Amino acid sequence: MQLGTQTKINHIIKEEGRGGIGLPMFFCLYIAQSIPSSFFATALQVMMREAHYSLATIGLLQLVKLPWVLKFLWSPVVDRHCLTGRDFRRCIIGSECVYALFIVLAGLLDVGTNLYLIIALVCLSLVASATQDIATDALAILMHGGKDKSMVNSMQSMGSFGGALIGSGLLLLILHAFGWRTVTLCLGAFVLLMLVPLMMRRDPEIVAKTVKERAKWTDFASFFAQHGIWRQIGFLLLYYASMIGILSMMRPWLVDLGYTMKEIGVMSGIVGTSAAFCASFGAGFLVRRIGIRSSRLLFATFILLTTLYFLTISYVSQPSAWLLYLGIVMMWSSYGMATIVVYTSAMECVRKGREGTDFTIQTVLTHLSGILIASLSGSVADHFGYHGLFLTETIIAVVSLLYILVFFRK
């Protein structure tokens, strides 16, 4: 009896310890996705505007993000063929190499004469990046159990926010100093370099998958037929909504307050993103300590307080810089903390053998919800002003908190 108990304890220790070893590896994989995509999204817009392309044409650049919205369509293929740690390792390394290849090919072309071909190559690179993301998410779920899920999600959020900070900020300065080709070739090399921690793990240990649990093409549709899953879907659609609405109108609001693009870049792009990066790291430890239920309520309350703060300062004719900085830090911190809760809860709602598919579906739902909310926020601000926008987002934050209190009591 004692021997059996000790075996179980050793197994638990092994499961708890396994995740911590892989955290730097997952941070590298996630930041490898984020930096190039953030750089291309920002740099191409700037270069197209400098080349006097119309705003309508520049707006079409948003279409390159389609692979990340549609990646759920081929996520069952990844789940079906990745049954062991070695399978995941091959899939991630292969996708990352293709990702780096398209980045390098885009860098070898001249922006002035081959812009549309470059955009096509960037789009293909994001297909490879999205495939790597599906496999990385599934591997993270299978390698991390229990409380470790929040920590690996910290790595995901930190990689995303850190990549945005570097890709859309620092690399733009380097671009003007060294040119398109040098930056993109270095990006390709960086993507390959981020594979080193994974390549050092010859066979990542994961929860065993069986042939009977192999995913099917219809799994992304059957996800919505699960009992009780709509409670989670409602949570995914609501939790981000109030923050996305304010973030999408933050820069126009600051412009109307008289701030320059350089000042806005520092306030939102550097200070805000840095706050989200740090908050994601701290939130991972907090969720690990107090659990997903308490964290969900705590962060939802903080989100509500943040929206109330913006509603309050919107009645000040000219808010001081420190009031705006405080609000920006609160908003981005809320966003960073919320991502940990969203990703951790999503990991708990995946079916066996369909980890990549189910997690991808849930993240895509948050992306689509964000796009919809950002689009509607512009109309609300246009018709009712910033007071009306912040009031609307406060109401959404209240609804989100009440939703959690009602549907996640246990």
Side-chain angles (χ1 to χ4, degrees), residues 227-297:
H227 176 69
I229 197 61
W230 285 95
R231 179 182 69 161
Q232 171 70 1
I233 292 172
F235 165 73
L236 294 174
L237 296 177
L238 278 173
Y239 206 60
Y240 275 147
S242 58
M243 292 176 294
I244 295 296
I246 295 178
L247 283 171
S248 64
M249 290 291 107
M250 180 71 70
R251 288 181 177 85
W253 184 47
L254 292 175
V255 169
D256 291 343
L257 290 175
Y259 287 88
T260 65
M261 290 302 295
K262 183 179 179 180
E263 291 171 327
I264 294 170
V266 172
M267 295 169 74
S268 186
I270 297 178
V271 175
T273 310
S274 299
F277 181 89
C278 296
S280 299
F281 184 64
F285 285 101
L286 189 59
V287 173
R288 195 178 195 277
R289 184 172 183 82
I290 68 176
I292 184 68
R293 180 180 179 274
S294 299
S295 301
R296 202 191 312 252
L297 281 171

Side-chain angles (χ1 to χ4, degrees), residues 112-125:
T113 57
N114 297 288
L115 183 61
Y116 289 110
L117 181 56
I118 288 173
I119 292 174
L121 290 171
V122 169
C123 189
L124 290 173
S125 75

